[in-house]
Amino acid sequence: GRALLNVVQYSGLCVPDEAQACRFYAGADGRDALECWRPSGEDEENKLVLAYAGETLFRALPVKVIVQLLTALLLEYKVILVSHHARLLTSAVLALVPLCLPYEVAASVIPMMPRALVRYLDAPMPLVVGLTAPPPADVLESKDSFFCVVNLHTAALQATKPLPAMPDQAQLVRMVEDFIKRAGVPAPPWKGVGSDVRDSVFATAMSDAQLSFLSGIFQTHLANLVQDFERHCISDVGSGTSTTTVFIKESFVST
């Protein structure tokens, strides 16, 4: 009962203020105390996820593959990551979501889907799913489905529909590779981490500030994709007092 009460109290904290700390008690006699403070800011969940899993993703997969995964997410493909290693699998799935900022991922995120539920991959919605084994071939062969599957052990990417390159993709890849190299993160094997996942994949070299800067590189690049959005809109179409705005998709996509 006390443990549940502590969790409820912690969930209500909003700023890292000593007056709003939550104290957890442990030990047989209940005397050992651990004080916790919630991080400040609206992006608390994204920061915590990046701190836990962000570096692991960049140690496991080449930057180019990560950018291709983000492209698939933004295009609402069903993104599937495959690994028999539970920690690697769940970390990689979770780390993809905050890298899509400032956009919100319009997909159901399932860090590790039970094999008994694999048929739910046919659901008509975007997904970000972790699987411990490759999905059945007949699921991927569905005529109207867009799948992007990456094996974390081989870094092999398979897309059932043509996956376009992200605008200025080479520039983004180069910037991220340069930054993580300066941050002391070794380049991942180009053929994935292999079947034997070493503890070094989960090592941490980047500080919270460096992770925030890395996330900022992606945010800036992705935000720039739509910075001229209004140039592809025509307003005041029609008659009367109401204003109508029409988005010219072909013009936007061509740029």
Side-chain angles (χ1 to χ4, degrees):
R2 175 180 291 183
L4 290 175
L5 179 60
N6 284 336
V7 171
V8 171
Q9 291 175 342
Y10 179 76
S11 66
L13 304 181
C14 58
V15 294
D17 190 312
E18 184 175 356
Q20 296 196 33
C22 187
R23 180 171 294 178
F24 293 84
Y25 293 91
D29 54 5
R31 294 181 179 180
D32 298 329
L34 176 65
E35 289 190 346
C36 298
W37 293 267
R38 292 183 72 94
S40 61
E42 297 179 356
D43 296 329
E44 172 194 1
E45 181 177 347
N46 291 324
K47 291 178 180 177
L48 293 177
V49 169
L50 280 178
Y52 168 72
E55 190 169 333
T56 297
L57 179 64
F58 287 91
R59 287 177 178 267
L61 290 176
V63 175
K64 182 179 180 180
V65 175
I66 295 174
V67 172
Q68 289 176 309
L69 283 172
L70 296 181
T71 303
L73 273 177
L74 294 176
L75 294 175
E76 297 190 351
Y77 278 58
K78 295 178 182 180
V79 174
I80 301 176
L81 302 184
V82 180
S83 171
H84 62 263
H85 194 285
R87 182 179 176 185
L88 176 62
L89 180 63
T90 55
S91 295
V93 171
L94 292 173
L96 283 175
V97 176
L99 290 180
C100 285
L101 291 172
Y103 309 114
E104 293 185 7
V105 175
S108 297
V109 181
I110 307 173
M112 188 161 61
M113 175 181 278
R115 292 295 299 176
L117 302 180
V118 72
R119 288 296 167 181
Y120 283 94
L121 294 175
D122 287 330
M125 65 182 70
L127 298 168
V128 186
V129 175
L131 291 179
T132 56
D138 60 327
V139 172
L140 300 181
E141 292 170 358
S142 177
K143 182 187 301 184
D144 299 322
S145 294
F146 288 72
F147 283 95
C148 180
V149 184
V150 170
N151 188 311
L152 295 174
H153 299 281
T154 64
L157 184 146
Q158 175 188 2
T160 57
K161 304 289 184 181
L163 185 63
M166 182 181 293
D168 297 323
Q169 175 173 303
Q171 178 184 358
L172 175 61
V173 170
R174 184 171 60 253
M175 289 178 61
V176 174
E177 287 179 341
D178 290 345
F179 178 78
I180 61 176
K181 182 178 180 179
R182 292 197 303 269
V185 179
W190 289 105
K191 295 185 178 180
V193 296
S195 58
D196 184 17
V197 180
R198 300 182 179 181
D199 291 339
S200 59
V201 176
F202 307 105
T204 55
M206 287 190 283
S207 64
D208 290 344
Q210 289 174 316
L211 284 169
S212 295
F213 189 88
L214 177 60
S215 175
I217 294 176
F218 283 95
Q219 288 188 44
T220 300
H221 187 89
L222 295 178
N224 286 341
L225 298 182
V226 293
Q227 66 177 349
D228 295 327
F229 182 87
E230 294 181 351
R231 292 177 52 190
H232 306 279
C233 297
I234 301 177
S235 298
D236 296 325
V237 175
S239 59
T241 58
S242 61
T243 300
T244 303
T245 300
V246 177
F247 172 55
I248 311 301
K249 182 180 68 174
E250 294 77 11
S251 172
F252 175 73
V253 171
S254 69
T255 63

